Amino acid sequence: MKKQILIASYPLNAGGTTTSLISLLHNIDYKSYEVDLILLRQKGEFLQHIPSQVNLLEPALLEGSNLKDKLYKLVNYTLKGIFIKKLMYLIKKKPYSLGIFQIMSGYGWASVSRGLKKQYDVAIGFMEGWPNIYVSKKVRANKKIAWVHPDYKNSGLDPSLDAPIFKCFNKIVLVSQSCKNSFDQGFSQYTDKTIVIENIVSVEHVKRMAEAEVDDFIIEDGCLNIITAARLRNSDKGLDRAVKALKRLKADGYKIRWYVLGEGEDRQLLEDMIREYGLEKDFILMGQRSNPYPYIKRADLYALTSRYEGKPISVTEAQVLGVGVVTTKYISANEQIDDGVDGIIVENNDEAIYDGIKRILDNPELLNIFSENLKNKTIGNADEINKLYEAMKN
């Protein structure tokens, strides 16, 4: 008899967590497991990439059909979800930048999300925030697993809000050993629950998707063509630092085009910066793409300017496609990149980002060296799925 699995996640918009989830779904043994997927809202470009074997449920947040339903949800969201927690949070003046997000997007949306009557063998919250809170409060399962993707210590998340949530889970998944070590320092009471399951990357899938034709990405000869795939949110992805670095490099006389795939709340801010610095033709916000791989494959360099990361799957995907990476030093950077061999790791500040790109511009032969070394690097970890199977047993 197949085990009944539920996975809860945010809408499937372009991003590393979504890519990781899609890869996971494509690697599950559907002869042994029956998988239901529930999303907060049934939206996102990656909906089309869900395997046919997955049962996509109606969204957890059903839109009210009449005024009574809408008022009911508003009252519950305000009173049960956010009012008391937010009020206390503001009074205490906690120093966590994402604390209000945890309350409003996590507790708030969970309070008005529909519960599920079905009893599952295993329920998985695939991300911090609403997915984990929803599974802990609204789902019945013999075993519950939480997934945490970022470096928790430096993420801006408030551990006091998550501690009671993690108590409800049998296992807590971190995406790298470094992330686990960081998490264990902040949640020593849960070290017996934490395990490492790296983001699964299907090498053949990435390469196959990269062969698609695109007609909106023209590579300019005699120019360093950089690409970044990231949410337009400066607090973590640091794209404001990329714009500043490009301004300096252009002033130095270098020819560069920097393309960004993604959308987010800081688009207007970035557009204003780009306009102010006169970079409209050089720093190009391309929007979201459901298939980012043809763009990454055609670029000269993949750049990551994040202020913090867990273990970004986009870096591994760039490596699969033979594209060298320049990245800031996040917690797992040394687990992914051999500095100076198949990419460059720089210190996590504005000056270092500028210096790292300049190093490539002054030594363009490095791009060929990185590409050649990536051909000999073992990339891909589809066997990580076995760790999940083991976690679902124990």
Side-chain angles (χ1 to χ4, degrees), residues 365-392:
E365 69 277 4
L366 286 174
L367 294 173
N368 291 328
I369 293 172
F370 295 161
S371 183
E372 285 299 313
N373 288 335
L374 285 168
K375 291 178 182 178
N376 300 316
K377 184 169 185 172
T378 301
I379 305 172
N381 53 359
D383 59 343
E384 288 294 295
I385 193 69
N386 294 320
K387 295 181 182 179
L388 176 59
Y389 297 155
E390 193 62 30
M392 291 193 293

Side-chain angles (χ1 to χ4, degrees), residues 61-118:
L61 195 63
L62 293 173
E63 299 299 330
S65 58
N66 54 51
L67 181 59
K68 182 180 177 181
D69 289 342
K70 292 178 180 179
L71 286 174
Y72 174 80
K73 284 191 175 182
L74 177 61
V75 170
N76 274 273
Y77 177 83
T78 303
L79 296 181
K80 292 184 180 179
I82 67 170
F83 183 75
I84 299 299
K85 285 186 174 67
K86 185 176 180 182
L87 180 63
M88 295 303 295
Y89 206 84
L90 293 173
I91 290 173
K92 293 179 180 179
K93 295 182 179 179
K94 295 243 182 161
Y96 298 99
S97 59
L98 293 182
I100 298 300
F101 161 80
Q102 288 171 272
I103 293 171
M104 299 181 73
S105 181
Y107 283 93
W109 290 130
S111 69
V112 293
S113 295
R114 66 187 184 92
L116 299 177
K117 295 180 180 180
K118 183 175 178 178

